[in-house]
Amino acid sequence: MGRSRRTLPEELLLLALDPTTGTTAQPQSLDLGLAGAQLVELALAGRIAPDGDRIAVVMPRPTGDPTLDSALELLRRRGSPVRAVHWIGGPRLGLRQIYLSHLERCGMVHAVAGQMCGVLPTTRYQATDTAISRDIRARLDSAIRTGVPPDPRTAALAALAHAVGLGKHLYPGNEGRSSRSRLRDLIRHDPMGGLVAHAVMDVQNGAAAQPRRNPAAPAGSRQPTAAVSMQPRRGGMARVAAH
């Protein structure tokens, strides 16, 4: 996979990056969205495909992108299709910092060290080329404004942006209500993006560990329940602590 095209995780992160504060919107759910964006990018590259509500590896050959290939290898090691909601809700958080560091190495953002309350070290990230972010935003705006079905990549980006709660960040206030609604509606234009976006929202709602109802079970029978393993909160603006 060449570097002439930005990946969906990179685009989602750049959408979430506030150009004024250098912080990311919805930091808690953004990690989940980035994990979902990896799945969509791998599907667009022909490496994985949906199998019902599960994800199956169909071509284990590396893409050439180290972060995506790490996810692909983990999927391959599962040996059988995995539910999207379980994959996204799995112990692979921290992707936000991984991708921020990646964008910094690529020269797309630069880190600015600072302190919170004069004590805690923080790192903010400023885009080095705001034209890139404007181009990404323009694709979403065009899809929302024109009503023309977007390409699968833009549709998936819109679905993920809605799923992680970026609607109010991108289209704030009462004047942005109709745009937020149309952003949500774009989810239907890409089946893989829709599957992943719904999985992201299910994890946030604590549905990742809910057992499936067995249609063959007799009426009135009790089925075992599972504890919710993750229920991230939808946060506001947050700074990334430097380590």
Side-chain angles (χ1 to χ4, degrees), residues 84-107:
V85 70
H86 288 163
W87 171 262
I88 290 169
R92 277 174 307 284
L93 300 186
L95 281 177
R96 181 166 45 104
Q97 184 58 56
I98 290 173
Y99 271 103
L100 282 169
S101 299
H102 169 72
L103 290 177
E104 184 182 13
R105 289 192 300 271
C106 293

Side-chain angles (χ1 to χ4, degrees), residues 52-231:
D53 66 344
R54 297 175 183 267
I55 303 298
V57 175
V58 295
M59 183 190 298
R61 189 181 71 206
T63 65
D65 182 299
T67 310
L68 289 176
D69 289 341
S70 176
L72 179 61
E73 177 61 16
L74 288 173
L75 285 166
R76 186 193 66 80
R77 290 178 183 175
R78 293 293 184 96
S80 59
V82 58
R83 288 187 66 199
V85 70
H86 288 163
W87 171 262
I88 290 169
R92 277 174 307 284
L93 300 186
L95 281 177
R96 181 166 45 104
Q97 184 58 56
I98 290 173
Y99 271 103
L100 282 169
S101 299
H102 169 72
L103 290 177
E104 184 182 13
R105 289 192 300 271
C106 293
M108 298 175 70
V109 302
H110 70 275
V112 180
Q115 288 184 330
M116 181 181 294
C117 301
V119 179
L120 299 175
T122 62
T123 303
R124 296 178 301 157
Y125 291 85
Q126 301 288 349
T128 57
D129 186 354
T130 56
I132 295 176
S133 297
R134 288 198 301 269
D135 174 69
I136 297 169
R137 175 67 180 270
R139 283 165 42 211
L140 285 186
D141 289 346
S142 177
I144 287 173
R145 183 179 63 256
T146 65
V148 176
D151 62 275
R153 182 174 293 274
T154 301
L157 181 62
L160 289 163
H162 166 71
V164 303
L166 289 183
K168 290 184 178 180
H169 168 68
L170 298 171
Y171 307 103
N174 288 333
E175 64 276 14
R177 184 177 300 172
S178 61
S179 292
R180 293 195 299 271
S181 177
R182 288 193 290 269
L183 179 72
R184 180 196 62 218
D185 291 343
L186 290 176
I187 199 170
R188 71 182 187 274
H189 290 294
D190 180 60
M192 183 66 180
L195 168 66
V196 168
H198 283 298
V200 169
M201 291 185 283
D202 283 346
V203 173
Q204 293 180 83
N205 292 331
Q210 294 298 322
R212 285 186 164 186
R213 184 175 300 278
N214 182 358
S221 64
R222 296 176 60 88
Q223 298 188 48
T225 58
V228 175
S229 59
M230 180 187 308
Q231 195 168 8

Side-chain angles (χ1 to χ4, degrees), residues 1-2 5 7-8 37-49 58-65 68-69 72 152-153 192:
M1 177 180 296
R5 169 174 286 178
T7 65
L8 274 172
Q38 286 185 319
L39 292 180
V40 180
E41 189 66 49
L42 288 170
L44 290 171
R47 286 356 187 234
I48 65 175
V58 295
M59 183 190 298
R61 189 181 71 206
T63 65
D65 182 299
L68 289 176
D69 289 341
L72 179 61
R153 182 174 293 274
M192 183 66 180

